């Protein structure tokens, strides 16, 4: 039979100070089940202590610690995490729950507190297998218990706890007033191959935490394995390799293009400024939302590159006068001034639509949505404007292309790699945990890129037009002195 006990001690030798929370008689390892039980929470656990679950497989009618052929495994039912800040209406100060416990007022927000793991997932390995004693895999060996029956050594049933199923979203803060908490115990059989795979995955997640990854970052990795179909997961790893490659090539070609750029002819300066502003805002938003590092790190690199591109676009030079920096801006030639006129004209029409929408959206969210702080509201308002109307700021560049009947001034190599990544992002949008607005923005970029492709087909190569380095084919290259 299967028995689940709880105790505040990490090891037990007798039945003192333990509670039986679940007992499954005539336990059938082939039959899956799920049961929810109420667990009594001791005072020590309520005071930021730990509670352990002891799971036993033993002979019916015999207490586990009196059974020489029992197998057991231990798992903590609590974990320590910094509680999520409570969100309030910034104008009224009204909280989402209308109740703020005394503990939340006294505890510092950055102090980890005990959280309840509301799920316990058990497995028993059902395959019969024979291994040579000298070549028994170490991953399986640590879960095995041997017994001598006559002249033969047998192994007892292999009991396994699926730690990957313990997700952050299932955690509950343990308050001092709580005396009982629900625990969902689920069981399913497991094959030898999946058992070994799951053991390695759990070890990998544990290693991430040892290298400094937070519980939330490790949870993102768990989600990829637990919430995704195995075949789809294999496809994701394959696609992710290409995503990293295209990310690197896009960054490389973008930097190479702007490094050689000598003229802003045909390039929308305001579009460059907007991209810089929006990229920095998105990075701050993802940082505030504590998004996965898989999304956060590329966003941070992109923000740094966009800041550098603004310096190039505005022809900024910084000269130091002692400890005080002095910023100087370069002058524009006639063709750049013509481009600036088209750019200003496009932005003028765009502002009639954009600003009222952004201001109205920020006001609506302030009245109806709850936030952690004023900073959180400000960043969310900015980022909602970026996500909802950000694609409108790509339109000035389309307008400049239309007026000049040319797209040669655009970094097409970097564009191509970014396009591949945009389509790959559409796949990742359904796999990696990210804010919904960020997910929708992935699909928005597809539409804009298709318009750029149409313009590239519409304006074929002309020997007299300006190329991506501010030169035309008819111009003779300047000789080096």
């Amino acid at each position: 039979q299967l028995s689940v006990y709880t105790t505040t001690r990490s090891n037990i030798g007798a039945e003192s100070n333990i509670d039986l929370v679940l007992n499954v008689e005539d336990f059938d390892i082939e039959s899956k089940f799920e049961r929810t039980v109420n667990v009594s929470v001791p005072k020590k656990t309520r005071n930021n202590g730990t509670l352990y679950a002891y799971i036993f497989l033993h002979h019916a009618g015999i207490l586990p610690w009196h059974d020489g052929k029992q197998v057991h495994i231990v798992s903590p039912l609590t974990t320590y995490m910094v509680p999520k800040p409570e969100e309030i209406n910034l104008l009224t100060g009204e909280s989402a729950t209308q109740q703020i416990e005394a503990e939340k007022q006294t505890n510092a927000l950055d102090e980890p507190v005990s959280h309840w793991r509301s799920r316990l997932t058990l497995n028993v390995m059902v395959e019969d297998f024979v291994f040579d004693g000298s070549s028994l895999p170490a991953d399986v060996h640590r879960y095995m218990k041997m017994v001598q029956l006559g002249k033969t050594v047998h192994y007892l049933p292999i009991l396994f706890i699926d730690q990957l199923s313990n997700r952050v979203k299932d955690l509950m803060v343990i308050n001092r007033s709580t005396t009982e908490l629900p625990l969902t115990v689920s069981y399913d059989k497991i094959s030898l191959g999946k058992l070994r795979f799951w053991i390695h995955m759990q070890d990998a997640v544990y290693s991430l935490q040892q290298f400094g990854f937070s519980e939330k970052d490790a949870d993102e990795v768990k989600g990829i394995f637990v919430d995704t179909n195995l075949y789809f997961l294999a496809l994701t790893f394959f696609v992710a390799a290409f995503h990293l490659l295209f990310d690197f090539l896009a960054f490389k070609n973008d930097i190479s293009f702007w490094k050689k750029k000598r003229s802003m002819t045909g390039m929308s300066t305001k579009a460059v400024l907007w991209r810089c502003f929006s990229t920095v805002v998105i990075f701050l938003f993802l940082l505030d939302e504590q998004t996965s590092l898989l999304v956060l790190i590329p966003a941070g690199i992109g923000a740094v590159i966009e800041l550098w591109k603004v310096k190039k676009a505005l022809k900024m030079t910084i000269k130091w006068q002692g400890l005080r920096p002095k910023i100087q801006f370069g002058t524009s030639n006639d063709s750049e001034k013509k481009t600036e006129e088209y750019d200003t004209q496009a932005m003028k029409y765009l502002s009639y639509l954009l600003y009222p929408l952004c201001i109205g959206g920020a006001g609506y969210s302030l009245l109806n949505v709850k936030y952690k702080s004023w900073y959180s509201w400000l960043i969310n308002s900015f980022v909602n404007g970026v996500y909802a109307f950000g694609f409108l700021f790509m339109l000035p560049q389309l307008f400049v292309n239309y007026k000049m009947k040319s797209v040669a001034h655009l970094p097409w190599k970097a564009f191509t790699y970014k396009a591949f990544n945009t389509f790959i992002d559409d796949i990742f949008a359904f796999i990696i945990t990210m804010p919904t607005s960020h997910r929708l923005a992935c699909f928005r970029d597809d539409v804009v890129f298709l318009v750029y492709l149409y313009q590239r087909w519409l304006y074929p190569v002309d020997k007299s037009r300006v190329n991506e380095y501010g030169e035309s084919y008819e111009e003779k290259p300047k000789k080096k002195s």
Side-chain angles (χ1 to χ4, degrees), residues 29 69 98 178 355:
I29 64 171
K69 295 176 184 175
Q98 294 285 323
T178 305
Y355 299 146

Side-chain angles (χ1 to χ4, degrees), residues 32 39 52 97 102 128 130 154 177 191 194-195 261 274 295 333 346 367 376 405 426 453:
K32 62 186 296 186
V39 178
Y52 297 93
T97 60
D128 290 325
V130 178
H154 294 263
S177 58
S191 65
K194 188 175 180 181
L195 172 67
K261 191 88 178 149
W274 166 253
V295 178
N333 56 36
L367 291 170
S376 183
K405 301 293 186 290
D426 297 343
L453 283 181

Side-chain angles (χ1 to χ4, degrees), residues 391-412:
F391 73 100
L392 297 176
F393 274 91
M394 301 179 186
L395 301 183
Q397 183 63 65
L398 296 176
F399 185 75
V400 170
N401 297 344
Y402 163 72
K403 283 290 189 179
M404 300 191 73
K405 301 293 186 290
S406 171
V407 291
H409 39 264
L410 298 175
W412 280 102

